[in-house]
Amino acid sequence: MSDAQGPGESGPQTQLPGPPPSAPPPPLPPTPVERGGMRALSLSVIGLLLLFLPIPGLALLGLGLLVAGVVTGVRARRRAKRVLTRAPGAIGGIVVGAIGLCFAVAGIAIGAVVATEFSDYENCRSSALTITDKQTCQDRYFPKIERKLHLPAGSMDRYRSMF
């Protein structure tokens, strides 16, 4: 055998560089279980924000969103456990929703305790014609509310501008 090149053969074979390494494939879209966890967190955070706005209708909507956030978080966690995956945001949604529900229950309980005094105060204030009359209403009903809630005397004075 000779080292002579035959017809159709060329000199030493050089290997061309291979194609560049490809980029990793794009991430897969979130699964329904993963979306459920983030949905629970979103519902709970929005519900908590609406709960603290001074508009009564929005507080009720916030309460509903908090309940929905907790329920959605629990369902997402159960579904994730069943299919052996994660549900990011589900625990956060449950925790934020539970904290918000605790605030709501406390607010409802306090409102129920002082409902008569506060409604009498509102009636007095709506019939007041002058600033002095409004001040008299506060001087009459704030001590009653403080006694009912077992607060120190004068502790509601700093909130006079809110009511």
Side-chain angles (χ1 to χ4, degrees):
M1 298 220 12
S2 76
D3 289 335
Q5 298 173 358
E9 290 183 19
S10 59
Q13 297 291 324
T14 58
Q15 205 171 26
L16 294 174
S22 63
L28 296 173
T31 64
V33 174
E34 292 170 335
R35 285 194 307 264
M38 293 310 292
R39 187 177 298 125
L41 184 60
S42 300
L43 286 170
S44 294
V45 168
I46 292 170
L48 189 64
L49 292 175
L50 291 178
L51 190 66
F52 288 108
L53 289 179
I55 303 169
L58 289 182
L60 290 176
L61 178 63
L63 183 64
L65 288 176
L66 288 170
V67 170
V70 170
V71 169
T72 304
V74 169
R75 290 178 71 192
R77 288 277 301 155
R78 285 184 182 162
R79 198 174 316 131
K81 202 177 282 188
R82 194 173 339 124
V83 296
L84 302 174
T85 188
R86 298 176 345 130
I91 292 177
I94 294 168
V95 169
V96 171
I99 290 171
L101 287 173
C102 289
F103 280 128
V105 167
I108 291 169
I110 291 171
V113 168
V114 296
T116 56
E117 286 82 5
F118 196 73
S119 72
D120 292 344
Y121 167 71
E122 286 294 321
N123 290 337
C124 178
R125 190 168 164 93
S126 66
S127 65
L129 299 175
T130 64
I131 294 175
T132 307
D133 291 342
K134 290 180 182 180
Q135 181 69 35
T136 304
C137 292
Q138 287 180 345
D139 291 341
R140 184 180 324 147
Y141 289 105
F142 276 18
K144 290 181 181 181
I145 294 172
E146 289 169 346
R147 276 193 303 277
K148 194 92 171 224
L149 294 176
H150 303 289
L151 296 173
S155 62
M156 287 188 59
D157 289 341
R158 67 181 127 193
Y159 304 110
R160 287 184 181 272
S161 62
M162 291 176 68
F163 298 106

